[in-house]
Amino acid sequence: MLLSENQFQKLVSSFSILPGIGKKSATRIGFHVLRMEDSTFQSWLNGLKEARERLHFCQICGGLTEETICDICDSPKRDKTILCVVEQPEDIFFIENTKEFFGTYHVLNGSISPLDGIGPDQLRIKPLMERLEESDIKEVLVATNPTLEGDATASYLSHLIKEREIKVTRIAHGITIGGTIEYSDQYTLGKAIKSRLTL
Amino acid sequence: MLLSENQFQKLVSSFSILPGIGKKSATRIGFHVLRMEDSTFQSWLNGLKEARERLHFCQICGGLTEETICDICDSPKRDKTILCVVEQPEDIFFIENTKEFFGTYHVLNGSISPLDGIGPDQLRIKPLMERLEESDIKEVLVATNPTLEGDATASYLSHLIKEREIKVTRIAHGITIGGTIEYSDQYTLGKAIKSRLTL
């Protein structure tokens, strides 16, 4: 057990580098992978390889697609006058799941974070400005995360876009549906009070 | 996005079948894997393959090893008169981390669970009995999980082993009822080993 820990630690690391996986989860996953039948493991690997070969990022919005242009950008049914800006392609999935947004998207591939050396030039902001220039977009809904970086990005984009006389909105931050005031953190609750709506 | 969801769902499933990974984590991991550089992805795959090729289960205890016999079974420093019985090979890791146990191990590869069709014959109980027969073991510490199945297994083993006039102990309840050894912190687990009770 002791000598083999080195090799096993490598296996654990293979999983603990993945987002949201701690050391204990990585250990359990490592053993799970070791216990897989050879054929199961092989088809599991092939599934990952195939996904990487077939899936790309849309040349317009940066979202996930098997084609050059994704189905949302390509659809005549989507409202081309409202554009939702997100940090990551996966955010599109979560917003689509709500069935509350019918416009198109633009993925930034991150958020402004000077400490990590990520400025506006490292993000897909130039392509965003080109889209605003060339199309009939009337509203940009900024759906960056309510973090320091997401807020900075939203504020930066807001200034830039308003200059073009395009309406800029941001998703509301407030207490979770089904949650309680008691368990909301003070910042969220404060924000919810500040952005209260007239009934 | 819509058409490609099929291929992406397959990728998400590749991760959501892993223990402890929900759909949202699997989605994040899926995107992480898609964003990997080709060379990173390739060496990641190779790491998994190498781990599976090099790691095996010890022919004596059933624990993890790169050899035929693991370092614990092979070590002259380990106390060969006390044997700790665990459900899974990963449990050995968690018990070793406590630094409270200096005997050797025996992995059952599961626990008695009639509803899942797992009886004593599906577990490594026969090899356990053979070890007790052939060696100088004076105490068996049963470290099955404090679950219905783990309790049933402990009770079954206790009857079987006591017939041979070997002392049977079980790690103390101090670890959460309904929880698993894997998710106990090392201090609680260490305490539970120290205050083990004779059955």
Side-chain angles (χ1 to χ4, degrees):
Chain A
M1 188 62 84
L2 304 173
L3 263 178
S4 67
E5 238 178 272
N6 232 331
Q7 181 66 40
F8 187 70
Q9 283 318 323
K10 275 197 229 162
L11 178 64
V12 170
S13 302
S14 296
F15 292 107
S16 61
I17 56 158
L18 300 176
I21 306 291
K23 208 185 150 194
K24 273 211 168 176
S25 290
T27 304
R28 295 180 71 203
I29 296 171
F31 272 103
H32 181 91
V33 167
L34 288 179
R35 276 192 284 259
M36 277 181 181
E37 293 290 325
D38 272 343
S39 59
T40 310
F41 178 69
Q42 207 48 59
S43 68
W44 186 76
L45 285 192
N46 290 341
L48 298 186
K49 280 186 205 161
E50 196 192 335
R52 275 179 55 94
E53 277 158 22
R54 292 182 59 175
L55 292 168
H56 313 282
F57 294 103
C58 171
Q59 286 195 349
I60 298 175
C61 73
L64 200 67
T65 180
E66 286 183 56
E67 317 296 332
T68 319
I69 308 298
C70 79
D71 295 321
I72 293 175
C73 288
D74 207 31
S75 166
K77 285 181 189 160
R78 305 293 299 218
D79 184 349
K80 298 284 159 57
T81 66
I82 173 164
L83 185 73
C84 177
V85 174
V86 292
E87 293 185 16
Q88 301 294 350
E90 49 266 54
D91 295 333
I92 300 180
F93 268 16
F94 302 125
I95 293 176
E96 284 295 288
N97 274 341
T98 69
K99 300 196 194 326
E100 295 283 358
F101 183 75
F102 308 100
T104 57
Y105 292 93
H106 189 88
V107 177
L108 296 174
N109 279 339
S111 53
I112 295 173
S113 175
L115 285 176
D116 301 313
I118 301 173
D121 294 345
Q122 275 74 52
L123 304 176
R124 294 179 72 247
I125 290 178
K126 208 173 155 240
L128 170 63
M129 292 306 149
E130 286 165 6
R131 283 180 78 179
L132 297 182
E133 205 67 60
E134 291 156 12
S135 61
D136 197 29
I137 292 163
K138 292 190 167 52
E139 178 181 344
V140 174
L141 168 55
V142 181
T144 53
N145 290 320
T147 56
L148 206 65
E149 295 78 14
D151 285 347
T153 311
S155 158
Y156 179 85
L157 290 178
S158 170
H159 282 97
L160 217 60
I161 299 167
K162 276 183 188 163
E163 283 173 9
R164 285 156 208 253
E165 296 186 351
I166 291 170
K167 186 179 168 188
V168 184
T169 53
R170 189 157 183 218
I171 50 167
H173 303 308
I175 58 175
T176 328
I177 304 293
T180 58
I181 285 178
E182 193 181 344
Y183 287 113
S184 292
D185 64 87
Q186 54 179 311
Y187 307 104
T188 306
L189 190 53
K191 199 107 176 171
I193 290 169
K194 259 197 238 167
S195 52
R196 63 191 178 273
L197 304 170
T198 308
L199 295 184
Chain B
M1 189 62 83
L2 304 172
L3 264 177
S4 65
E5 239 178 273
N6 231 333
Q7 181 66 39
F8 187 71
Q9 282 319 322
K10 275 196 230 163
L11 178 65
V12 169
S13 302
S14 296
F15 292 107
S16 61
I17 56 158
L18 300 176
I21 307 291
K23 209 185 149 193
K24 271 213 169 170
S25 292
T27 304
R28 294 181 69 203
I29 295 170
F31 273 103
H32 181 91
V33 167
L34 287 179
R35 275 192 285 258
M36 277 181 182
E37 294 289 326
D38 271 343
S39 59
T40 310
F41 178 69
Q42 207 49 57
S43 67
W44 187 76
L45 286 192
N46 291 341
L48 298 187
K49 281 186 203 160
E50 194 192 337
R52 276 178 55 94
E53 276 158 22
R54 293 183 57 177
L55 292 167
H56 312 283
F57 295 103
C58 171
Q59 285 194 349
I60 297 175
C61 74
L64 202 65
T65 180
E66 287 184 56
E67 317 296 331
T68 317
I69 308 298
C70 79
D71 296 321
I72 293 174
C73 287
D74 207 32
S75 166
K77 285 183 189 157
R78 304 293 298 217
D79 184 349
K80 298 284 158 60
T81 65
I82 172 165
L83 186 73
C84 177
V85 174
V86 293
E87 294 184 16
Q88 300 293 351
E90 48 267 53
D91 294 332
I92 299 180
F93 268 17
F94 304 122
I95 292 177
E96 284 295 289
N97 274 342
T98 70
K99 301 198 195 323
E100 295 282 358
F101 182 75
F102 307 101
T104 56
Y105 292 93
H106 189 88
V107 177
L108 296 175
N109 279 340
S111 53
I112 295 173
S113 174
L115 287 175
D116 301 313
I118 301 173
D121 294 345
Q122 275 73 53
L123 303 175
R124 294 181 70 248
I125 290 177
K126 209 174 154 237
L128 170 63
M129 291 308 148
E130 286 166 6
R131 284 181 76 179
L132 297 182
E133 204 67 59
E134 290 158 13
S135 62
D136 198 30
I137 291 163
K138 292 189 168 51
E139 179 182 344
V140 174
L141 168 56
V142 181
T144 52
N145 289 319
T147 56
L148 207 63
E149 295 79 14
D151 285 346
T153 311
S155 158
Y156 179 85
L157 290 177
S158 170
H159 282 97
L160 217 59
I161 300 167
K162 275 182 187 165
E163 284 174 9
R164 285 157 207 253
E165 296 186 351
I166 292 170
K167 187 178 167 189
V168 184
T169 54
R170 191 162 181 210
I171 51 167
H173 284 53
I175 51 178
T176 332
I177 305 293
T180 60
I181 283 177
E182 210 170 309
Y183 282 113
S184 293
D185 68 272
Q186 55 179 310
Y187 308 105
T188 309
L189 189 52
K191 193 106 179 175
I193 289 170
K194 262 198 235 169
S195 54
R196 62 189 182 273
L197 304 170
T198 306
L199 295 183

